[in-house]
Amino acid sequence: MGVRGLQSYILAKCPDSLVPVDLTANTGDKKKRLIIVEGWSCLRSVYGPHMDFICGGQWQEFRASIRRFVNTFQQAHCELVVFFSGGIEEDMRGEWARRKSQTQDTVNMVMQGLRQRGYAPDRKHFLPNETHPQVFRQVLLSCHVKVISTPYSTDKAMVEYAHKNGAYGILANDSDFIMMNAPRYLSLHHLRISGNTISTVIIDREKISSSLELPLSLFPLLSCLLGNDVVNYEVLEEFHKRLLADTGEGVD
């Protein structure tokens, strides 16, 4: 889930930390690039823009889109390992409940738009249903992609697996990987697949550290002070107001 607003801030205020990378470029190394993928975020990318997300049911098209995605990476000499999360840790349930409430608000807005205007709203409101991850897993396995399900959230397990197996990077859309010691954080938000070409950006922790003038060793503390999945943002709201008042920035 990540630190609320952190990635948006970095994209806007630390552009030098975004390092373009072509994953199809020949490195001269015969060893495949191992890329660890956060499954839930990737699902939203793979469910193609041409597929209806209101009525659903485009399972053949969804399967074909997954196979194209996997085949393109395999042709680029990349090996994928995809992680899916299981349950929610007790100390993260507050943030999970808040986001579930936001999801319900989105559903209500979509339904209201359909009733009033008779057409689907912007695709940014796409919400995968409970069947999508199951189909995603099945097709990945049929494509000989390793799939790992964790009992709780995937972040720590993905970073540990990446370091243990010498992974090239982690492909995800979660600012937790900025705060954690991930090998390379490859942005799913910037992922572009055109023909057999795969490009994205590395969100470089070292460059962020330089831009913020903050040592990497203090990133976990920054995460706690900003609010994250465990340290509730609302609990810190008064603290943030006092900080802004002391700096003369004011509070919205």
Side-chain angles (χ1 to χ4, degrees):
M1 296 185 224
V3 179
R4 193 189 306 182
L6 176 62
Q7 186 156 311
S8 299
Y9 176 86
I10 288 171
L11 296 180
K13 302 296 185 180
C14 307
D16 291 344
S17 68
L18 308 181
V19 182
V21 59
D22 179 3
L23 295 177
T24 52
N26 187 355
T27 61
D29 190 349
K30 293 183 179 180
K31 185 180 178 181
K32 291 183 178 180
R33 285 193 183 102
L34 176 60
I35 297 177
I36 315 303
V37 183
E38 201 286 298
W40 187 255
S41 298
C42 187
L43 189 157
R44 300 179 68 91
S45 298
V46 173
Y47 196 86
H50 59 286
M51 299 181 209
D52 173 39
F53 72 95
I54 300 297
C55 299
Q58 285 73 35
W59 300 114
Q60 294 297 337
E61 291 88 343
F62 184 37
R63 290 186 176 95
S65 179
I66 298 167
R67 292 190 185 99
R68 284 195 300 271
F69 178 86
V70 172
N71 288 340
T72 304
F73 274 90
Q74 289 176 342
Q75 290 171 10
H77 211 56
C78 295
E79 177 185 354
L80 302 179
V81 175
V82 183
F83 276 71
F84 288 92
S85 61
I88 303 295
E89 294 96 325
E90 185 173 352
D91 54 6
M92 293 185 179
R93 287 177 185 171
E95 178 65 12
W96 175 83
R98 184 188 71 82
R99 297 196 183 199
K100 283 294 183 182
S101 178
Q102 286 184 335
T103 295
Q104 186 59 53
D105 291 341
T106 300
V107 171
N108 293 336
M109 182 185 64
V110 168
M111 296 307 295
Q112 183 179 10
L114 286 170
R115 286 193 296 267
Q116 293 179 349
R117 296 184 293 276
Y119 60 87
D122 191 282
R123 186 176 171 76
K124 68 182 179 181
H125 301 304
F126 164 58
L127 296 170
N129 63 42
E130 296 303 316
T131 309
H132 285 118
Q134 307 306 322
V135 174
F136 197 12
R137 284 187 181 94
Q138 291 170 5
V139 179
L140 288 171
L141 290 169
S142 73
C143 294
H144 308 290
V145 172
K146 186 172 185 177
V147 175
I148 298 175
S149 295
T150 62
Y152 295 109
S153 62
T154 59
D155 302 352
K156 184 178 178 181
M158 289 172 66
V159 171
E160 289 177 350
Y161 186 94
H163 283 299
K164 182 178 179 180
N165 294 277
Y168 176 80
I170 291 175
L171 181 63
N173 193 30
D174 187 338
S175 58
D176 279 341
F177 295 114
I178 299 172
M179 298 290 99
M180 302 172 75
N181 185 26
R184 287 185 185 87
Y185 175 26
L186 304 169
S187 171
L188 252 175
H189 176 74
H190 294 84
L191 182 68
R192 300 291 181 269
I193 299 177
S194 178
N196 293 324
T197 301
I198 308 169
S199 63
T200 184
V201 300
I202 298 169
I203 301 181
D204 192 307
R205 298 175 73 247
E206 296 279 355
K207 292 182 183 295
I208 294 170
S209 172
S210 176
S211 179
L212 298 180
E213 299 182 355
L214 185 72
L216 289 171
S217 60
L218 292 180
F219 273 26
L221 176 60
L222 174 64
S223 172
C224 292
L225 294 177
L226 290 174
N228 53 40
D229 301 338
V230 178
V231 184
N232 192 283
Y233 178 83
E234 281 69 27
V235 173
L236 295 166
E237 190 170 6
E238 186 60 33
F239 168 67
H240 293 162
K241 286 180 180 179
R242 291 180 182 179
L243 282 180
L244 290 171
D246 289 344
T247 59
E249 294 291 332
V251 182
D252 293 336

